[in-house]
Amino acid sequence: MQLGTVTYNIAKDWDLPTIIKTLGALGYEGVELRTTHAHGVEVGLNAGQRAEVRKRFEDSPVQLAGLGSAFEYQAVDPAVVRKNVEGTKEYVLLAHDVGSPGVKVRPNGIPAGANLDQTLRQIGRALHEVGEHASGFGVEIRVEVHGAVTSELRNLAKIIEYADHPNVYVCWNSNPSDVVDGSIKETFALVAPKIREVHLRDLFDAQYPWRELFALLAGQQYDGFTLAEIPESRDPERVLRYFRALWTAYQPKVEADGR
């Protein structure tokens, strides 16, 4: 598996050249660019600017691991859902143009008074539409395990079931609610085949079974990105160095025969 970071929040104030230069120097292999942050990789870029972003990554050791959007589909108002669906489609085109393999979207809880199953089904239907659209551009849709109620893995798994599309994947988010009796094995299994991206919180948090997470990922030969999603710091480069050291220490040991 590969190490990267999201630009929420540790690198939110870095422009794109700074992101690429700094992460490359620190030994990070990729980055997920979160929308609205200083890097400026947004749908307003013209064709030439999009080509420039693609070339910057192609000419560097740092990969564009994905684009991180905040589009969500649980609203009671159909017009709001439609606006988010169409916004996602615009972001998919941006991803295609700049060379991003995926776009992260999210559920963000259940509206007050809404029926749980109906809302999960609604989210799933929207994901089916954007997943189908994105497949035509070679871009994956990655659903972050996010939001009150919707971050519970049994509910997220139901959303993926309702989406019913091979191009709709899961972004594992390393939430405290993943943990059952000190383990994530049970919740991980609910979405394991669909995990395409992983967000990591602070690795010093002893309440989360990081070694187990990395072992489970390795057990299914996961070779995608595990991305630091950690708070900003007055000394971000130092924090990212420590994060990389912990990440390396947590990796499962491989025996001489490859097991």
Side-chain angles (χ1 to χ4, degrees):
M1 63 195 80
Q2 302 173 84
L3 175 63
T5 186
V6 301
T7 56
Y8 178 83
N9 281 312
I10 189 91
K12 68 182 180 63
D13 297 322
W14 296 353
D15 61 18
L16 194 57
T18 301
I19 288 170
I20 290 174
K21 179 181 179 181
T22 304
L23 293 183
L26 295 175
Y28 281 69
E29 298 161 288
V31 63
E32 179 189 274
L33 300 177
R34 176 65 153 76
T35 186
T36 75
H37 290 174
H39 53 73
V41 181
E42 306 287 352
V43 295
L45 296 182
N46 62 35
Q49 292 168 324
R50 295 180 184 211
E52 181 182 353
V53 171
R54 176 187 281 267
K55 190 173 189 306
R56 282 187 182 276
F57 280 103
E58 289 176 346
D59 292 346
S60 84
V62 178
Q63 299 177 53
L64 180 49
L67 297 183
S69 82
F71 294 114
E72 52 195 48
Y73 319 106
Q74 73 280 341
V76 174
D77 185 348
V80 174
V81 178
R82 176 50 46 188
K83 181 179 180 181
N84 276 271
V85 166
E86 296 306 320
T88 307
K89 292 178 180 180
E90 291 182 3
Y91 221 67
V92 164
L93 179 58
L94 174 65
H96 169 268
D97 292 346
V98 300
S100 171
V103 169
K104 179 194 71 65
V105 297
R106 67 186 191 190
N108 197 22
I110 303 297
N115 178 276
L116 173 60
D117 191 66
Q118 289 178 0
T119 305
L120 300 181
R121 188 184 297 270
Q122 172 183 303
I123 296 169
R125 285 199 302 264
L127 286 167
H128 183 96
E129 180 177 344
V130 297
E132 177 64 23
H133 176 82
S135 66
F137 291 92
V139 174
E140 298 172 349
I141 296 297
R142 301 162 176 177
V143 186
E144 185 177 17
V145 185
H146 184 273
V149 182
T150 48
S151 64
E152 297 175 26
L153 267 299
R154 65 180 183 275
N155 292 328
L156 198 287
K158 183 64 71 172
I159 288 172
I160 297 300
E161 179 183 339
Y162 284 142
D164 190 25
H165 199 285
N167 195 42
V168 175
Y169 295 96
V170 169
C171 172
W172 185 266
N173 204 36
S174 306
N175 298 316
S177 57
D178 304 339
V179 184
V180 178
D181 295 329
S183 172
I184 61 168
K185 187 175 182 179
E186 178 183 332
T187 53
F188 186 90
L190 294 173
V191 295
K194 280 285 191 174
I195 295 174
R196 203 57 140 213
E197 182 178 64
V198 175
H199 286 179
L200 303 172
R201 308 302 177 99
D202 284 314
L203 295 180
F204 59 72
D205 179 5
Q207 300 302 309
Y208 199 90
W210 299 111
R211 289 189 187 279
E212 184 182 46
L213 172 61
F214 290 126
L216 289 168
L217 290 168
Q220 63 181 38
Q221 298 182 315
Y222 178 79
D223 60 0
F225 276 97
T226 54
L227 301 162
E229 186 179 6
I230 54 178
E232 59 185 315
S233 167
R234 287 179 294 180
D235 193 352
E237 293 185 34
R238 182 178 176 86
V239 169
L240 286 167
R241 286 191 182 95
Y242 275 114
F243 191 96
R244 186 176 185 276
L246 272 174
W247 181 90
T248 301
Y250 278 137
Q251 298 306 301
K253 291 181 171 60
V254 179
E255 297 179 10
D257 61 1
R259 290 182 297 168

